[in-house]
Amino acid sequence: SDINYLLNIIFIVCFVVTLYGIFMILIGGDVAAPFEGSEGEKNTLTGYLSLIGVIAGGIFINTNSKVEKFFLSSLIFAIIFVLAFSSSRSGWIASSVGIIVLFFQAKEKNIFILLFCIFILLAPIIIPEEMTQRISHTFQQEYHPGMHVEIFGIRLDTSTSARLFMIKLV
């Protein structure tokens, strides 16, 4: 009962955080954790949302309660909405890896396959412009000599390249 209580608190707090993120999207602000300096930090917020989203997804695929499924699916939808507008590639990657793990853990894989097919069909309509611009910027940023990494002939932006330089992958 203590774990259920704590999980409920965690999910309520996450829902409040997603409401804050949705509010920031609606007023045209940047979706970021407000306690991370003057501009906030997208990766802190999206890391948090990805983690809680995967926990909620794990409970969702293992519960038989329709009430729990309703609340968890509402939370997951809100998290996905905020993540899509966050411009945080690391949040998108973390969430994608979490979804893949959930797929392999699920007893019923058909729902994942169905949702994935629906997503692929609707992607051109439902993916926000901010997300497509951020992804294209990763591969089409203006060239700055010595500041870009190329992988398989694809030049990465300075932000991604700097991260790869720091962890000495290139």
Side-chain angles (χ1 to χ4, degrees), residues 83-89 92 119 122-141 157:
L83 281 171
F85 282 91
S86 70
S87 301
S88 172
R89 295 166 299 180
W92 301 334
F119 173 76
L122 295 178
I125 300 167
I126 62 173
I127 291 179
E129 185 178 337
E130 292 88 346
M131 188 176 199
T132 56
Q133 287 175 351
R134 180 65 172 142
I135 292 169
S136 66
H137 179 269
T138 302
F139 305 105
Q140 298 172 354
Q141 182 185 27
D157 68 329

mmCIF file of all heavy atoms in Angstrom, residues 83-89 92 119 122-141 157:
data_model
loop_
_atom_site.group_PDB
_atom_site.id
_atom_site.type_symbol
_atom_site.label_atom_id
_atom_site.label_comp_id
_atom_site.label_asym_id
_atom_site.label_seq_id
_atom_site.Cartn_x
_atom_site.Cartn_y
_atom_site.Cartn_z
ATOM 1 N N LEU A 83 6.556 16.354 -24.426
ATOM 2 C CA LEU A 83 7.824 15.924 -25.030
ATOM 3 C C LEU A 83 7.919 16.356 -26.489
ATOM 4 O O LEU A 83 8.980 16.776 -26.958
ATOM 5 C CB LEU A 83 7.986 14.406 -24.932
ATOM 6 C CG LEU A 83 8.435 13.851 -23.596
ATOM 7 C CD1 LEU A 83 8.344 12.330 -23.600
ATOM 8 C CD2 LEU A 83 9.837 14.294 -23.256
ATOM 9 N N ALA A 84 6.821 16.252 -27.214
ATOM 10 C CA ALA A 84 6.836 16.598 -28.644
ATOM 11 C C ALA A 84 7.181 18.067 -28.869
ATOM 12 O O ALA A 84 7.824 18.410 -29.862
ATOM 13 C CB ALA A 84 5.479 16.273 -29.272
ATOM 14 N N PHE A 85 6.792 18.924 -27.945
ATOM 15 C CA PHE A 85 7.049 20.356 -28.088
ATOM 16 C C PHE A 85 8.323 20.808 -27.359
ATOM 17 O O PHE A 85 8.632 21.991 -27.337
ATOM 18 C CB PHE A 85 5.862 21.176 -27.569
ATOM 19 C CG PHE A 85 4.714 21.225 -28.523
ATOM 20 C CD1 PHE A 85 3.710 20.275 -28.463
ATOM 21 C CD2 PHE A 85 4.644 22.208 -29.499
ATOM 22 C CE1 PHE A 85 2.647 20.313 -29.345
ATOM 23 C CE2 PHE A 85 3.587 22.251 -30.387
ATOM 24 C CZ PHE A 85 2.577 21.303 -30.318
ATOM 25 N N SER A 86 9.064 19.890 -26.801
ATOM 26 C CA SER A 86 10.197 20.265 -25.954
ATOM 27 C C SER A 86 11.473 20.607 -26.713
ATOM 28 O O SER A 86 12.354 21.238 -26.165
ATOM 29 C CB SER A 86 10.519 19.123 -24.989
ATOM 30 O OG SER A 86 11.074 18.033 -25.694
ATOM 31 N N SER A 87 11.621 20.173 -27.931
ATOM 32 C CA SER A 87 12.853 20.364 -28.722
ATOM 33 C C SER A 87 14.046 19.644 -28.105
ATOM 34 O O SER A 87 15.186 19.970 -28.405
ATOM 35 C CB SER A 87 13.198 21.844 -28.898
ATOM 36 O OG SER A 87 12.156 22.518 -29.531
ATOM 37 N N SER A 88 13.802 18.663 -27.253
ATOM 38 C CA SER A 88 14.879 17.943 -26.597
ATOM 39 C C SER A 88 15.068 16.584 -27.256
ATOM 40 O O SER A 88 14.291 15.655 -27.032
ATOM 41 C CB SER A 88 14.570 17.749 -25.110
ATOM 42 O OG SER A 88 15.530 16.893 -24.532
ATOM 43 N N ARG A 89 16.121 16.486 -28.063
ATOM 44 C CA ARG A 89 16.382 15.222 -28.754
ATOM 45 C C ARG A 89 16.678 14.104 -27.764
ATOM 46 O O ARG A 89 16.272 12.969 -27.966
ATOM 47 C CB ARG A 89 17.539 15.379 -29.735
ATOM 48 C CG ARG A 89 17.197 16.337 -30.872
ATOM 49 C CD ARG A 89 18.417 16.731 -31.617
ATOM 50 N NE ARG A 89 19.317 17.415 -30.688
ATOM 51 C CZ ARG A 89 20.491 17.894 -31.026
ATOM 52 N NH1 ARG A 89 20.914 17.780 -32.254
ATOM 53 N NH2 ARG A 89 21.256 18.492 -30.139
ATOM 54 N N TRP A 92 13.469 12.715 -26.524
ATOM 55 C CA TRP A 92 12.819 11.882 -27.537
ATOM 56 C C TRP A 92 13.493 10.514 -27.635
ATOM 57 O O TRP A 92 12.819 9.494 -27.731
ATOM 58 C CB TRP A 92 12.854 12.563 -28.900
ATOM 59 C CG TRP A 92 12.186 13.906 -28.941
ATOM 60 C CD1 TRP A 92 11.177 14.365 -28.127
ATOM 61 C CD2 TRP A 92 12.490 14.975 -29.821
ATOM 62 N NE1 TRP A 92 10.839 15.648 -28.465
ATOM 63 C CE2 TRP A 92 11.628 16.059 -29.512
ATOM 64 C CE3 TRP A 92 13.397 15.151 -30.867
ATOM 65 C CZ2 TRP A 92 11.642 17.257 -30.189
ATOM 66 C CZ3 TRP A 92 13.414 16.352 -31.546
ATOM 67 C CH2 TRP A 92 12.548 17.397 -31.214
ATOM 68 N N PHE A 119 0.575 5.842 -35.593
ATOM 69 C CA PHE A 119 1.494 6.969 -35.458
ATOM 70 C C PHE A 119 2.189 7.266 -36.793
ATOM 71 O O PHE A 119 2.282 8.425 -37.203
ATOM 72 C CB PHE A 119 2.539 6.699 -34.373
ATOM 73 C CG PHE A 119 3.610 7.751 -34.319
ATOM 74 C CD1 PHE A 119 3.353 8.982 -33.746
ATOM 75 C CD2 PHE A 119 4.865 7.515 -34.856
ATOM 76 C CE1 PHE A 119 4.326 9.966 -33.706
ATOM 77 C CE2 PHE A 119 5.848 8.489 -34.820
ATOM 78 C CZ PHE A 119 5.576 9.717 -34.245
ATOM 79 N N LEU A 122 -0.226 8.954 -39.137
ATOM 80 C CA LEU A 122 -0.632 10.308 -38.727
ATOM 81 C C LEU A 122 0.544 11.252 -38.483
ATOM 82 O O LEU A 122 0.327 12.451 -38.282
ATOM 83 C CB LEU A 122 -1.490 10.231 -37.465
ATOM 84 C CG LEU A 122 -2.835 9.531 -37.602
ATOM 85 C CD1 LEU A 122 -3.546 9.480 -36.256
ATOM 86 C CD2 LEU A 122 -3.700 10.213 -38.650
ATOM 87 N N ALA A 123 1.763 10.737 -38.489
ATOM 88 C CA ALA A 123 2.941 11.549 -38.158
ATOM 89 C C ALA A 123 3.012 12.861 -38.933
ATOM 90 O O ALA A 123 3.261 13.910 -38.330
ATOM 91 C CB ALA A 123 4.218 10.734 -38.329
ATOM 92 N N PRO A 124 2.802 12.854 -40.242
ATOM 93 C CA PRO A 124 2.891 14.142 -40.950
ATOM 94 C C PRO A 124 1.881 15.184 -40.469
ATOM 95 O O PRO A 124 2.104 16.378 -40.602
ATOM 96 C CB PRO A 124 2.606 13.771 -42.414
ATOM 97 C CG PRO A 124 2.892 12.309 -42.506
ATOM 98 C CD PRO A 124 2.575 11.739 -41.157
ATOM 99 N N ILE A 125 0.805 14.731 -39.878
ATOM 100 C CA ILE A 125 -0.244 15.642 -39.420
ATOM 101 C C ILE A 125 -0.033 16.047 -37.962
ATOM 102 O O ILE A 125 -0.244 17.202 -37.593
ATOM 103 C CB ILE A 125 -1.639 14.983 -39.571
ATOM 104 C CG1 ILE A 125 -1.898 14.635 -41.034
ATOM 105 C CG2 ILE A 125 -2.739 15.864 -39.012
ATOM 106 C CD1 ILE A 125 -3.078 13.707 -41.241
ATOM 107 N N ILE A 126 0.383 15.104 -37.107
ATOM 108 C CA ILE A 126 0.387 15.358 -35.668
ATOM 109 C C ILE A 126 1.726 15.819 -35.097
ATOM 110 O O ILE A 126 1.762 16.367 -34.006
ATOM 111 C CB ILE A 126 -0.102 14.129 -34.871
ATOM 112 C CG1 ILE A 126 0.825 12.923 -35.085
ATOM 113 C CG2 ILE A 126 -1.527 13.788 -35.209
ATOM 114 C CD1 ILE A 126 0.500 11.728 -34.206
ATOM 115 N N ILE A 127 2.821 15.606 -35.824
ATOM 116 C CA ILE A 127 4.121 16.029 -35.292
ATOM 117 C C ILE A 127 4.233 17.540 -35.402
ATOM 118 O O ILE A 127 4.059 18.107 -36.479
ATOM 119 C CB ILE A 127 5.285 15.333 -36.022
ATOM 120 C CG1 ILE A 127 5.284 13.843 -35.672
ATOM 121 C CG2 ILE A 127 6.619 15.963 -35.670
ATOM 122 C CD1 ILE A 127 6.369 13.050 -36.341
ATOM 123 N N PRO A 128 4.519 18.213 -34.289
ATOM 124 C CA PRO A 128 4.611 19.678 -34.329
ATOM 125 C C PRO A 128 5.778 20.155 -35.199
ATOM 126 O O PRO A 128 6.802 19.481 -35.314
ATOM 127 C CB PRO A 128 4.851 20.072 -32.874
ATOM 128 C CG PRO A 128 4.867 18.841 -32.077
ATOM 129 C CD PRO A 128 4.745 17.667 -32.969
ATOM 130 N N GLU A 129 5.607 21.327 -35.776
ATOM 131 C CA GLU A 129 6.643 21.912 -36.635
ATOM 132 C C GLU A 129 7.949 22.112 -35.881
ATOM 133 O O GLU A 129 9.034 21.932 -36.430
ATOM 134 C CB GLU A 129 6.156 23.243 -37.210
ATOM 135 C CG GLU A 129 7.110 23.849 -38.204
ATOM 136 C CD GLU A 129 6.590 25.140 -38.799
ATOM 137 O OE1 GLU A 129 5.367 25.361 -38.805
ATOM 138 O OE2 GLU A 129 7.425 25.942 -39.248
ATOM 139 N N GLU A 130 7.851 22.454 -34.594
ATOM 140 C CA GLU A 130 9.054 22.642 -33.780
ATOM 141 C C GLU A 130 9.908 21.383 -33.756
ATOM 142 O O GLU A 130 11.132 21.439 -33.781
ATOM 143 C CB GLU A 130 8.682 23.019 -32.335
ATOM 144 C CG GLU A 130 8.065 24.375 -32.183
ATOM 145 C CD GLU A 130 6.536 24.371 -32.354
ATOM 146 O OE1 GLU A 130 5.976 23.362 -32.846
ATOM 147 O OE2 GLU A 130 5.916 25.380 -32.012
ATOM 148 N N MET A 131 9.246 20.235 -33.706
ATOM 149 C CA MET A 131 9.964 18.964 -33.644
ATOM 150 C C MET A 131 10.664 18.676 -34.976
ATOM 151 O O MET A 131 11.833 18.287 -34.987
ATOM 152 C CB MET A 131 8.987 17.832 -33.294
ATOM 153 C CG MET A 131 9.627 16.513 -33.006
ATOM 154 S SD MET A 131 8.333 15.329 -32.510
ATOM 155 C CE MET A 131 9.335 14.113 -31.703
ATOM 156 N N THR A 132 9.970 18.885 -36.084
ATOM 157 C CA THR A 132 10.593 18.623 -37.389
ATOM 158 C C THR A 132 11.735 19.601 -37.645
ATOM 159 O O THR A 132 12.761 19.221 -38.210
ATOM 160 C CB THR A 132 9.564 18.680 -38.530
ATOM 161 O OG1 THR A 132 8.907 19.944 -38.516
ATOM 162 C CG2 THR A 132 8.546 17.565 -38.408
ATOM 163 N N GLN A 133 11.585 20.851 -37.213
ATOM 164 C CA GLN A 133 12.666 21.825 -37.383
ATOM 165 C C GLN A 133 13.891 21.439 -36.557
ATOM 166 O O GLN A 133 15.020 21.557 -37.026
ATOM 167 C CB GLN A 133 12.198 23.225 -36.981
ATOM 168 C CG GLN A 133 11.262 23.857 -37.967
ATOM 169 C CD GLN A 133 10.727 25.191 -37.472
ATOM 170 O OE1 GLN A 133 10.921 25.585 -36.327
ATOM 171 N NE2 GLN A 133 10.036 25.905 -38.350
ATOM 172 N N ARG A 134 13.667 20.974 -35.339
ATOM 173 C CA ARG A 134 14.785 20.593 -34.466
ATOM 174 C C ARG A 134 15.524 19.391 -35.042
ATOM 175 O O ARG A 134 16.757 19.338 -35.014
ATOM 176 C CB ARG A 134 14.272 20.283 -33.062
ATOM 177 C CG ARG A 134 15.349 19.872 -32.085
ATOM 178 C CD ARG A 134 16.312 21.016 -31.827
ATOM 179 N NE ARG A 134 17.225 20.665 -30.763
ATOM 180 C CZ ARG A 134 18.497 20.985 -30.746
ATOM 181 N NH1 ARG A 134 19.018 21.690 -31.726
ATOM 182 N NH2 ARG A 134 19.270 20.629 -29.751
ATOM 183 N N ILE A 135 14.784 18.428 -35.551
ATOM 184 C CA ILE A 135 15.413 17.248 -36.144
ATOM 185 C C ILE A 135 16.194 17.637 -37.396
ATOM 186 O O ILE A 135 17.347 17.226 -37.569
ATOM 187 C CB ILE A 135 14.359 16.163 -36.452
ATOM 188 C CG1 ILE A 135 13.790 15.611 -35.139
ATOM 189 C CG2 ILE A 135 14.967 15.035 -37.285
ATOM 190 C CD1 ILE A 135 12.569 14.734 -35.314
ATOM 191 N N SER A 136 15.595 18.445 -38.266
ATOM 192 C CA SER A 136 16.306 18.832 -39.493
ATOM 193 C C SER A 136 17.526 19.694 -39.179
ATOM 194 O O SER A 136 18.551 19.593 -39.853
ATOM 195 C CB SER A 136 15.368 19.538 -40.474
ATOM 196 O OG SER A 136 14.935 20.762 -39.950
ATOM 197 N N HIS A 137 17.460 20.523 -38.128
ATOM 198 C CA HIS A 137 18.601 21.352 -37.737
ATOM 199 C C HIS A 137 19.802 20.488 -37.358
ATOM 200 O O HIS A 137 20.949 20.858 -37.590
ATOM 201 C CB HIS A 137 18.214 22.261 -36.569
ATOM 202 C CG HIS A 137 19.332 23.135 -36.098
ATOM 203 N ND1 HIS A 137 20.193 22.751 -35.099
ATOM 204 C CD2 HIS A 137 19.736 24.364 -36.499
ATOM 205 C CE1 HIS A 137 21.092 23.707 -34.900
ATOM 206 N NE2 HIS A 137 20.824 24.703 -35.734
ATOM 207 N N THR A 138 19.522 19.320 -36.782
ATOM 208 C CA THR A 138 20.591 18.406 -36.383
ATOM 209 C C THR A 138 21.474 18.026 -37.570
ATOM 210 O O THR A 138 22.678 17.829 -37.418
ATOM 211 C CB THR A 138 19.990 17.127 -35.750
ATOM 212 O OG1 THR A 138 19.185 17.515 -34.641
ATOM 213 C CG2 THR A 138 21.074 16.165 -35.286
ATOM 214 N N PHE A 139 20.889 17.954 -38.746
ATOM 215 C CA PHE A 139 21.625 17.499 -39.928
ATOM 216 C C PHE A 139 21.868 18.591 -40.963
ATOM 217 O O PHE A 139 22.577 18.366 -41.932
ATOM 218 C CB PHE A 139 20.861 16.343 -40.588
ATOM 219 C CG PHE A 139 20.575 15.225 -39.634
ATOM 220 C CD1 PHE A 139 19.300 15.048 -39.123
ATOM 221 C CD2 PHE A 139 21.585 14.374 -39.219
ATOM 222 C CE1 PHE A 139 19.035 14.023 -38.225
ATOM 223 C CE2 PHE A 139 21.328 13.349 -38.324
ATOM 224 C CZ PHE A 139 20.053 13.177 -37.826
ATOM 225 N N GLN A 140 21.288 19.788 -40.756
ATOM 226 C CA GLN A 140 21.392 20.830 -41.773
ATOM 227 C C GLN A 140 21.892 22.164 -41.235
ATOM 228 O O GLN A 140 21.720 23.198 -41.881
ATOM 229 C CB GLN A 140 20.024 21.041 -42.440
ATOM 230 C CG GLN A 140 19.522 19.809 -43.144
ATOM 231 C CD GLN A 140 18.094 19.974 -43.629
ATOM 232 O OE1 GLN A 140 17.431 20.955 -43.348
ATOM 233 N NE2 GLN A 140 17.616 18.986 -44.362
ATOM 234 N N GLN A 141 22.514 22.166 -40.086
ATOM 235 C CA GLN A 141 23.023 23.416 -39.529
ATOM 236 C C GLN A 141 24.125 23.974 -40.436
ATOM 237 O O GLN A 141 24.867 23.226 -41.064
ATOM 238 C CB GLN A 141 23.577 23.191 -38.125
ATOM 239 C CG GLN A 141 24.088 24.461 -37.480
ATOM 240 C CD GLN A 141 24.753 24.202 -36.135
ATOM 241 O OE1 GLN A 141 25.273 23.129 -35.887
ATOM 242 N NE2 GLN A 141 24.731 25.206 -35.280
ATOM 243 N N ASP A 157 25.028 18.596 -36.183
ATOM 244 C CA ASP A 157 25.097 19.983 -35.719
ATOM 245 C C ASP A 157 26.160 20.136 -34.629
ATOM 246 O O ASP A 157 26.676 19.158 -34.100
ATOM 247 C CB ASP A 157 23.727 20.461 -35.229
ATOM 248 C CG ASP A 157 23.276 19.776 -33.953
ATOM 249 O OD1 ASP A 157 23.647 18.613 -33.740
ATOM 250 O OD2 ASP A 157 22.543 20.405 -33.171
#
